[in-house]
């Protein structure tokens, strides 16, 4: 990435494609076709990327997968790459490169309802990364899929359109290519829905493998009182226009009138910082753990307050 070394080509960044080397040992076993037991290299992997970032602060770093670095269920979260890389790529989010299947339903459910929820929650923090995703025009009708990428309409069109929508609705920047990643096209740009839509709530709670989460976790999930301090906690929301930010509305004395209070200038509206609760990371029961918290300022002891959190597109602070 420099111009003054033997092989310095002045590239504008690096594509880091070996992060899964550091995957948790539990991801494979002796019967796996590509066994890996190298989770012990996670600190070194982070240090390597830190060294690259420090040496080239103005270059782009794109990390392919390594999703465990953003998962608070796993010990790798202690070595998160947040703040070091500019882009996180979710390869094979839905359509994989196999010629035998378009995608594995259980794996896709784990991607959609487990990993991407946690990844996107991290991406919206102030030091987060832009999340990209990649699908493959392969599967049993790979030839038809590739023709769709080139503009033909056929029975494979619905499969590719669904792939675009699944990624677009969450706010990932999607791309579809072939297994060799040699197909260059504008299919996603031409077929994505660019209509502005309000955010919808998600859920970072970990469901059983291959299963959807039971329901979205909407708005405030917990009020945590620590001494004289009050903290609100909440979960992630999604939109095709990321990042998502959150606004806290505070009303004294009585509950909200949703038709009137959102237009009332006397209602206190506070942009929320996406702080990390102390208990967010770690194994065990995740039903009452949330990715975000912030302290509520300006409250008076002995008074009754009502809180409301709304998600909105764009960064507010």
């Amino acid at each position: 990435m420099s111009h003054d070394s033997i092989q310095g080509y002045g590239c504008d960044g690096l594509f880091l494609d070996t992060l899964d080397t550091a995957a948790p040992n539990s991801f494979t076993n002796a019967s796996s076709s590509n066994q890996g037991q190298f989770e012990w290299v996670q600190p070194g992997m982070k240090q390597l990327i830190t060294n690259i970032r420090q040496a080239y602060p103005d270059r782009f770093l794109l990390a392919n997968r390594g999703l465990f670095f953003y998962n608070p269920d796993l010990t790798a979260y202690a070595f998160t790459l947040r703040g070091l890389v500019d882009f996180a790529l979710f390869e094979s989010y839905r359509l994989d490169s196999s010629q035998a299947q378009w995608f594995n339903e259980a794996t896709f459910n784990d991607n959609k309802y487990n990993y991407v929820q946690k990844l996107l929650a991290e991406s919206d923090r102030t030091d987060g990364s832009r999340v990209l995703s990649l699908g493959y025009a392969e599967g049993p009708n790979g030839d038809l899929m590739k023709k769709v990428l080139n503009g033909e309409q056929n029975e494979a069109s619905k499969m590719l359109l669904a792939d675009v929508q699944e990624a677009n609705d969450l706010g990932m920047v999607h791309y579809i290519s072939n297994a060799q990643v040699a197909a260059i096209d504008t299919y996603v740009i031409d077929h994505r829905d660019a209509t502005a839509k309000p955010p919808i709530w998600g859920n970072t709670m970990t469901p059983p493998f291959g299963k959807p989460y039971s329901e979205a976790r909407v708005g405030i999930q917990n009020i945590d009182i620590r001494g004289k301090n009050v903290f609100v906690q909440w979960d992630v929301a999604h939109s095709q226009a990321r990042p998502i930010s959150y606004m806290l509305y505070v009303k004294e004395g009585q509950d909200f009138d949703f038709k009137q209070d959102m237009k009332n200038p006397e209602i206190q509206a506070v942009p929320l910082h996406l702080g990390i609760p102390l208990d967010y990371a770690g194994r065990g029961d995740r039903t009452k753990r949330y990715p975000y918290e912030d302290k509520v300022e300006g409250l008076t002891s002995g008074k009754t307050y009502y809180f409301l959190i709304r998600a909105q597109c764009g960064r507010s602070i």
Side-chain angles (χ1 to χ4, degrees), residues 150-171:
N150 292 326
E152 179 180 301
Q153 295 296 311
N154 56 52
E155 56 265 41
S157 298
K158 290 184 179 180
M159 186 63 66
L160 289 183
L161 288 173
D163 202 57
V164 173
Q165 181 177 348
E166 287 285 359
N168 186 69
D169 287 350
L170 292 170

Side-chain angles (χ1 to χ4, degrees), residues 65-97:
R65 296 188 64 86
L67 305 175
F68 41 84
F69 283 117
Y70 308 94
N71 188 334
D73 292 345
L74 305 173
T75 56
Y77 187 74
F79 309 105
T80 179
L81 303 184
R82 198 182 65 245
L84 296 175
V85 298
D86 302 285
F87 304 98
L89 174 62
F90 202 138
E91 183 184 2
S92 300
Y93 171 64
R94 179 173 172 271
L95 293 178
D96 59 43
S97 57

Side-chain angles (χ1 to χ4, degrees), residues 131-146:
V131 178
L132 319 179
S133 55
L134 175 64
Y136 290 104
E138 296 294 342
N141 291 346
D143 291 341
L144 291 179
M145 295 274 249
K146 295 176 182 63

Side-chain angles (χ1 to χ4, degrees), residues 20 54 67 78-79 95 100 112 127 162-163 169 206 236 284 317:
D20 279 353
Q54 291 174 348
L67 305 175
F79 309 105
L95 293 178
K112 180 177 181 179
D127 59 351
D163 202 57
D169 287 350
T206 306
V236 69
I317 53 177

Side-chain angles (χ1 to χ4, degrees), residues 219-268:
I220 293 176
Q221 295 298 306
N222 186 44
I223 303 291
D224 192 15
I225 300 175
R226 306 172 198 164
K228 295 183 179 181
N229 297 319
V230 176
F231 292 82
V232 291
Q233 297 181 340
W234 69 102
D235 216 318
V236 69
H238 303 295
S239 172
Q240 76 273 38
R242 297 203 89 95
I244 306 296
S245 60
Y246 303 86
M247 190 73 70
L248 175 69
Y249 296 85
V250 181
K251 185 178 181 181
E252 181 184 336
Q254 59 183 346
D255 205 350
F256 284 90
D257 179 337
F258 291 100
K259 291 185 178 180
Q260 301 297 326
D261 287 341
M262 296 301 100
K263 302 177 182 179
N264 185 349
E266 296 182 2
I267 298 297
Q268 184 181 2

Side-chain angles (χ1 to χ4, degrees), residues 3-109:
H3 295 278
D4 56 358
S5 64
I6 295 174
Q7 304 239 352
Y9 298 114
C11 296
D12 60 3
L14 285 180
F15 181 88
L16 305 171
D17 199 28
T18 57
L19 299 185
D20 279 353
T21 300
N25 291 349
S26 60
F27 280 18
T28 63
N29 55 46
S31 64
S32 300
S33 60
N34 188 18
Q35 184 181 1
Q37 302 282 306
F38 302 107
E39 67 178 30
W40 60 273
V41 306
Q42 290 167 3
M45 184 71 78
K46 178 171 184 176
Q47 187 60 57
L48 170 63
I49 296 171
T50 300
N51 293 347
I52 296 171
R53 169 53 68 206
Q54 291 174 348
Y56 302 99
D58 60 341
R59 297 297 196 261
F60 294 111
L61 296 182
L62 189 157
N64 185 24
R65 296 188 64 86
L67 305 175
F68 41 84
F69 283 117
Y70 308 94
N71 188 334
D73 292 345
L74 305 173
T75 56
Y77 187 74
F79 309 105
T80 179
L81 303 184
R82 198 182 65 245
L84 296 175
V85 298
D86 302 285
F87 304 98
L89 174 62
F90 202 138
E91 183 184 2
S92 300
Y93 171 64
R94 179 173 172 271
L95 293 178
D96 59 43
S97 57
S98 170
Q99 295 182 354
Q101 61 181 17
W102 289 296
F103 64 95
N104 179 284
E105 184 176 3
T107 300
F108 171 56
N109 282 340

